[in-house]
Each structure stands twice: as structure tokens, then as C-alpha cells.
């Protein structure tokens, strides 16, 4: 069985690249971000990694600072390395824009390639790629959560599945190594999401095992798993050691989400349109309510249903089975389970139904075109298929631009008011000879921009949370004093022995 697509499918690849570029254009025009999420963490991590390499120093991977001091968390190594190289070439914020652009292109072309290998024609594969990169799962991730590590994983996901399927079906060693490298890259970016792409890969390669490649199937997966684990074992070991040394400040739980929240996306879109035309938003849907309601869009969902009704292929049945299981887990199982450090919180599982529905939209487009040919003629069917693709593009891109206009801040990170305050704070710190470090109890993640825009060090969060009974008691005292108005000792004086300066910025 051959899964390889012709090497000269320039038209399909070119159209897929165009889709990726088009979807990334709003980000290129002006970055969108959600303050309080992890966008600034990734800015800082990549900046620090790039500066360290530029100085000729390699960040230390030690039990004391698992991912290279002073990284905040275990995830974000591979994406930070890529982002750091782009920042060195195009500046901090220019590098961010290029990173997002390239990730969208890789995701679009990869989904197109995978869809073609599943015997979809060029138009249907292109539509599936468009549904994937325009899905509300990716949109929310990039524009409002700004998980750049997750974006890298989602971009590599279709390539990973394609390479695994090719290595099993064709015994292709090159595809085996490519899949291994992709999995290792994803694990170093975000281990929680990497687990999901393995599940998706196993799910979409089951037909190959059922067709007589059982031992090859087990061999490929065993090889990929063992080699990828070897590549990332330094990070896994450090993470396990770090977990025993660092105090966790909160325990997250998976919140309950009603199944009918899936209508939030079209409801929110209707609200945006009504506000544009009449100046008032009805219904009053808030942005945060979209978090658990992402899917590839109504057009893609309708096409996926057409595939279920009209197509009699094992892949369609398998895809719909995965979509159903993904939604069932999300709505009926995960709300009763605590969040796991390795499995993440519940919204990460949404990549499973989103990915499946995107591919199913391609199968549905193929089935629709075939029935239109029987009903009319081939030329009319082509025009109708093109109209469906246009509807999908209008829906996805229209909502994207609506959220860009009404749901995000137009202020670039370098122009934030906090940055202006930090630049003022930097002057006395420089006058002190750089012997003090910046630290605040303010949970705003924009703190990560302080060293980026000033070049001055911050307090190492991991160092300040190092497990020690006496040390922890001292930190607890500082926290209590920072929250007690009548505390006799100022937090800044309590932090002085730790060689950090406490400044409560707005």
C-alpha cells in the first residue's frame, strides 16, 4: 500500500501555503495576546535562551532549575530554541510574528499532505487544511492564550501522523526518523500535548494494523517511542526531580462544561455582527465562554456529517468514533477528574475532535461533489464545491477578524503601561550597579518582559520556591506581610536577604 503523494503537487502545496499565510496575517498586522496567560513567558524563555547562546553560555539542565535557569516550567524548550533563532535574526517581536507565520504554514501544508495520503482529491484536501488552521481551537490558542509551544505541536501533528502512517505502510526508514524527530520536538515543547498527538497517531494508524501489518505496526510505534524518549530523557528526569523540590502554589481542577456550549461560537459570531450593525451585542456572549467551544466551524461540521451519512469508508467511521470519544471525555468524564501535571487540564483534549472534524470535512466535500455530479454535471458540481469552500473561508476568517477587532488589545507588548513603569524602575537598579534583582508578588505574566526590555535580571522563581522547611517558612512570612496592611515589616526589607527588590507594579 502506498501512501506517498506525488512529489510535484505544487498547486496543492502552494494553495496550502497561501491559506497558512492568510490566516497568520492578522497576527502579522498586530500581535494579539491575552494578558495573564503564557505569551510573555514564551517571549522571556526564547529571549533568555537566545541571549545565553549569544554570550556563549548554555542554560544548565540541573535538578535545581529543570529546564535552564531561570525558566518557569518544564515545557517550552524546542519552541524557545526556534523562537530564539528567529528573534536573533528579526528582533524580539519580529521573531514572534515570523514564528506564528511559519507554524501556520507548516500546519496547513501538513494537513493537506495527510489528507491527500488518505485518498482525498486536491480540492477536498485543501478544504480540510483550511478547516484545521481556521479552527477555533487554533485561533483561541494563538490569539487569546498565546501558547506558542502548543501551536508548534499542532503544526507538527499532521506531519507526525503522515510520517507514522508512511513508515508503517511502506517500511520507510526516513519517515520513521522524521516521525521520531517530530515527537521529540513536541515532547520538548509541551509533554502534555505530545501525549495527545501520540493518541491521535495510534488512532489513525489502526486501519494499517488491521490490514495485516500488525508486527510492523508494533515495531514502528515501539521504535518511535523508545528513540524519542531517549532524545528527551534529560528533560523528563529533570522534571521528575523538580517536582519533588518545587512547591506547587495551587491545585487545578477540570471544570464542568455543558455540552450545549458548542453553540457559543456561532452565538458569539452573531453577537459581533449585531454589534457591528446595530451597536449592541446580543446575545451577551463573553470571550472566555469560547474557551471550551472550539471546533472547525459550522461549515466543516456539516460536511463531516455528510461524510458520516454518505461515505462508507473505515477511516470515516474511525474518525467519527474518535470525535465522539473526544467530546464524551471532555463533557462527561474529565469534569470529575483532577487536572494532572502530565495530562494537563481538560481543554487540551479538544485537539482530538477538532483534528478529526477537519479531516472529515474533506471526506464530506468529496461525497458532496460526487452527488452533485450525479444530480447536475461536473462543471456545476465544481462551482458548488468552490462555493462551499468560500463559505468555509468566510465563516472562519470573518470570525477571526471579528475577534481580532473586538476581543483583543491593540497595544503591542513593548508599549504596555507596565513596560513604561519597569523602564523607570530600571534606572535606580542600574545606578545600584545591577546588584539587585526584580521580584514582585503581582501574578501578571507581563513581568517576563522586564528583562527583555531592560536587560536587567529578575529573581529566579524556581530558586525562590526551593523546598526547604526554614526557607519556606520565611517565604510564607513574606506572603502574609504582603497581604496584611498592619504588618510591621515591609516585604521589600524581608526580601533583602534574598538579594531581590520587591516592587508592586500596577
Amino acid at each position: 500500500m502506498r501512501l506517498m503523494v506525488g512529489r510535484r503537487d505544487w498547486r496543492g502545496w502552494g494553495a496550502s501555503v497561501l491559506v497558512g499565510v492568510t490566516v497568520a496575517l492578522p497576527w502579522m498586522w498586530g500581535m494579539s495576546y491575552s494578558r495573564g496567560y503564557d505569551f510573555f513567558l514564551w517571549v522571556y524563555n526564547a529571549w533568555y535562551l537566545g541571549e545565553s547562546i549569544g554570550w556563549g553560555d548554555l542554560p544548565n539542565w540541573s535538578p535545581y532549575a529543570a529546564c535552564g535557569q531561570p525558566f518557569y516550567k518544564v515545557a517550552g524548550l524546542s519552541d524557545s530554541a526556534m523562537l530564539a533563532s528567529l528573534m536573533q535574526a528579526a528582533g524580539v517581536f519580529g521573531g514572534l510574528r515570523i514564528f506564528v507565520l511559519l507554524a501556520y504554514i507548516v500546519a496547513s501544508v501538513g494537513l493537506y499532505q495527510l489528507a491527500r495520503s488518505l485518498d482525498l482529491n486536491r480540492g477536498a484536501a485543501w478544504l480540510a487544511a483550511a478547516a484545521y488552521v481556521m479552527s477555533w481551537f487554533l485561533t483561541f490558542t494563538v490569539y487569546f492564550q498565546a501558547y506558542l509551544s502548543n501551536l508548534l505541536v499542532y503544526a507538527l501533528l499532521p506531519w507526525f501522523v503522515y510520517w507514522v502512517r508512511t513508515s508503517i505502510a511502506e517500511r520507510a526508514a526516513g519517515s520513521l526518523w522524521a516521525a521520531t524527530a517530530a515527537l521529540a520536538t513536541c515532547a520538548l515543547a509541551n509533554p502534555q500535548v505530545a501525549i495527545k498527538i501520540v493518541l491521535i497517531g495510534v488512532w489513525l494508524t489502526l486501519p494499517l494494523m488491521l490490514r495485516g501489518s500488525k508486527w510492523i505496526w508494533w515495531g514502528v510505534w515501539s521504535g518511535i517511542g523508545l528513540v524519542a524518549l531517549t532524545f528527551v530523557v534529560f528533560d523528563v528526569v529533570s522534571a521528575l526531580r523538580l517536582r519533588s523540590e518545587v512547591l506547587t502554589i495551587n491545585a487545578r481542577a477540570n471544570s464542568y462544561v455543558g455540552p450545549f456550549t458548542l453553540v457559543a461560537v456561532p452565538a458569539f459570531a452573531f453577537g459581533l455582527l449585531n454589534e457591528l450593525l446595530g451597536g449592541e451585542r446580543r446575545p451577551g456572549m463573553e470571550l472566555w465562554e469560547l474557551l471550551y467551544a472550539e471546533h472547525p466551524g459550522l461549515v466543516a461540521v456539516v460536511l463531516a456529517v455528510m461524510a458520516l451519512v454518505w461515505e462508507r469508508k473505515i477511516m470515516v467511521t474511525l474518525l467519527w468514533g474518535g470525535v465522539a470519544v473526544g467530546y464524551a471525555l471532555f463533557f462527561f468524564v474529565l469534569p470529575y477528574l483532577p487536572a494532572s501535571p502530565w495530562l494537563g487540564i481538560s481543554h487540551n483534549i479538544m485537539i482530538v475532535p477538532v483534528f478529526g472534524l477537519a479531516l472529515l470535512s474533506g471526506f464530506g466535500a468529496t461525497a458532496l461533489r460526487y452527488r452533485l455530479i450525479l444530480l447536475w454535471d461536473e462543471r456545476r458540481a465544481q462551482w458548488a464545491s468552490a462555493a462551499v469552500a468560500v463559505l468555509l473561508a468566510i465563516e472562519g476568517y470573518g470570525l477571526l477578524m471579528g475577534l481580532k477587532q473586538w476581543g483583543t488589545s491593540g497595544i503591542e507588548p513593548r508599549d504596555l503601561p507596565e513596560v513604561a513603569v519597569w523602564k523607570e524602575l530600571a534606572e535606580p537598579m542600574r545606578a545600584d550597579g545591577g546588584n539587585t534583582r526584580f521580584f514582585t508578588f503581582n501574578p501578571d505574566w507581563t513581568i517576563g518582559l522586564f528583562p527583555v526590555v531592560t536587560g536587567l535580571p529578575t529573581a529566579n522563581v524556581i530558586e525562590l520556591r526551593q523546598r526547604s522547611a526554614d526557607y519556606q517558612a520565611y517565604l510564607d512570612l513574606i506572603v502574609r506581610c504582603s497581604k496584611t496592611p498592619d504588618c510591621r515589616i515591609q516585604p521589600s526589607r524581608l526580601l533583602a536577604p534574598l538579594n531581590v527588590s520587591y516592587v508592586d507594579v500596577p
Side-chain angles (χ1 to χ4, degrees):
M1 179 193 309
R2 291 193 60 80
L3 299 179
M4 298 293 288
V5 183
R7 296 179 178 273
R8 297 183 180 180
D9 191 7
W10 300 115
R11 292 175 60 185
W13 293 344
S16 301
V17 170
L18 182 61
V19 170
V21 171
T22 303
V23 175
L25 278 179
W27 182 278
M28 301 296 287
W29 289 334
M31 277 177 289
S32 303
Y33 57 88
S34 174
R35 292 157 76 173
Y37 283 97
D38 287 349
F39 174 68
F40 306 104
L41 166 64
W42 268 271
V43 174
Y44 171 72
N45 281 355
W47 171 84
Y48 175 76
L49 187 61
E51 291 294 309
S52 299
I53 295 175
W55 298 329
D57 298 327
L58 291 177
N60 64 316
W61 282 281
S62 67
Y64 187 66
C67 288
Q69 186 228 24
F71 278 21
Y72 292 106
K73 58 171 63 176
V74 173
L77 288 183
S78 55
D79 57 286
S80 292
M82 297 177 187
L83 189 52
S85 62
L86 294 173
M87 285 181 173
Q88 294 296 313
V92 173
F93 302 109
L96 282 163
R97 289 186 170 95
I98 296 174
F99 179 91
V100 173
L101 174 67
L102 293 177
Y104 267 124
I105 292 174
V106 170
S108 181
V109 177
L111 205 287
Y112 173 83
Q113 187 80 353
L114 175 61
R116 291 286 280 151
S117 71
L118 295 174
D119 295 328
L120 292 179
N121 60 49
R122 182 182 294 152
W126 178 87
L127 189 143
Y132 182 61
V133 296
M134 289 184 180
S135 70
W136 287 105
F137 188 84
L138 266 69
T139 298
F140 203 96
T141 295
V142 176
Y143 280 82
F144 304 103
Q145 292 180 315
Y147 287 135
L148 298 185
S149 65
N150 289 16
L151 176 61
L152 175 63
V153 177
Y154 300 146
L156 291 176
L157 167 57
W159 286 107
F160 173 73
V161 176
Y162 170 73
W163 284 324
V164 173
R165 285 177 54 84
T166 304
S167 62
I168 295 173
E170 302 187 12
R171 282 65 163 173
S175 296
L176 178 64
W177 282 107
T180 301
L183 179 57
T185 301
C186 293
L188 291 175
N190 193 328
Q192 296 174 355
V193 185
I195 293 174
K196 274 74 172 181
I197 78 163
V198 172
L199 294 177
I200 293 174
V202 171
W203 165 37
L204 294 185
T205 56
L206 285 176
L208 300 179
M209 181 182 68
L210 298 177
R211 292 174 186 174
S213 301
K214 180 178 179 180
W215 294 111
I216 295 295
W217 190 90
W218 281 108
V220 167
W221 276 112
S222 299
I224 290 175
L226 290 175
V227 178
L229 181 62
T230 301
F231 287 158
V232 303
V233 69
F234 71 95
D235 196 35
V236 173
V237 172
S238 297
L240 294 174
R241 180 70 181 272
L242 178 69
R243 182 159 179 77
S244 67
E245 295 181 349
V246 175
L247 295 172
T248 56
I249 59 175
N250 66 338
R252 294 186 295 179
N254 290 317
S255 59
Y256 174 76
V257 180
F260 289 104
T261 53
L262 284 176
V263 303
V265 169
F268 189 84
F270 173 76
L272 292 181
L273 179 62
N274 191 67
E275 182 179 5
L276 177 64
L277 298 177
E280 184 179 2
R281 179 173 304 183
R282 293 180 180 176
M285 190 74 63
E286 297 295 333
L287 181 63
W288 67 269
E289 295 180 77
L290 291 178
L291 176 60
Y292 297 106
E294 298 110 355
H295 50 73
L298 291 180
V299 175
V301 171
V302 170
L303 289 172
V305 173
M306 290 180 180
L308 177 64
V309 173
W310 289 335
E311 289 283 8
R312 296 293 181 267
K313 294 182 178 179
I314 186 173
M315 183 56 68
V316 171
T317 303
L318 193 65
L319 286 170
W320 261 112
V323 170
V325 170
Y327 278 133
L329 288 174
F330 178 75
F331 288 122
F332 304 115
V333 177
L334 288 176
Y336 304 100
L337 300 178
S340 166
W342 291 103
L343 296 180
I345 57 176
S346 56
H347 72 268
N348 288 333
I349 198 68
M350 294 296 282
I351 185 59
V352 177
V354 166
F355 189 77
L357 287 172
L359 284 174
L360 283 166
S361 67
F363 283 99
T366 300
L368 176 63
R369 183 173 180 272
Y370 176 73
R371 273 154 182 79
L372 289 177
I373 290 175
L374 295 179
L375 181 63
W376 296 330
D377 55 53
E378 186 167 356
R379 185 173 182 179
R380 282 178 155 182
Q382 288 179 346
W383 280 107
S385 299
V388 171
V390 170
L391 283 176
L392 185 143
I394 291 175
E395 178 195 22
Y397 206 73
L399 290 176
L400 170 62
M401 292 304 295
L403 290 176
K404 171 75 174 112
Q405 178 68 29
W406 284 282
T408 64
S409 171
I411 304 175
E412 290 201 21
R414 61 163 63 92
D415 298 324
L416 286 172
E418 293 92 337
V419 173
V421 173
W422 295 332
K423 288 181 178 179
E424 294 180 6
L425 294 174
E427 296 304 321
M429 293 180 69
R430 289 193 181 96
D432 192 37
N435 294 322
T436 58
R437 294 177 295 172
F438 174 83
F439 179 77
T440 177
F441 285 113
N442 191 317
D444 193 339
W445 278 109
T446 55
I447 294 167
L449 288 179
F450 178 82
V452 178
V453 299
T454 65
L456 295 173
T458 60
N460 184 353
V461 175
I462 294 178
E463 178 184 343
L464 293 178
R465 293 178 184 167
Q466 182 75 8
R467 182 180 292 276
S468 166
D470 296 335
Y471 196 90
Q472 185 58 40
Y474 189 69
L475 289 180
D476 291 341
L477 172 64
I478 297 175
V479 172
R480 286 197 300 272
C481 278
S482 68
K483 297 180 178 179
T484 305
D486 57 351
C487 182
R488 297 181 179 180
I489 306 177
Q490 296 180 355
S492 57
R493 293 187 179 181
L494 290 172
L495 284 167
L498 306 181
N499 191 27
V500 299
S501 296
Y502 169 67
V503 182
D504 193 10
V505 298

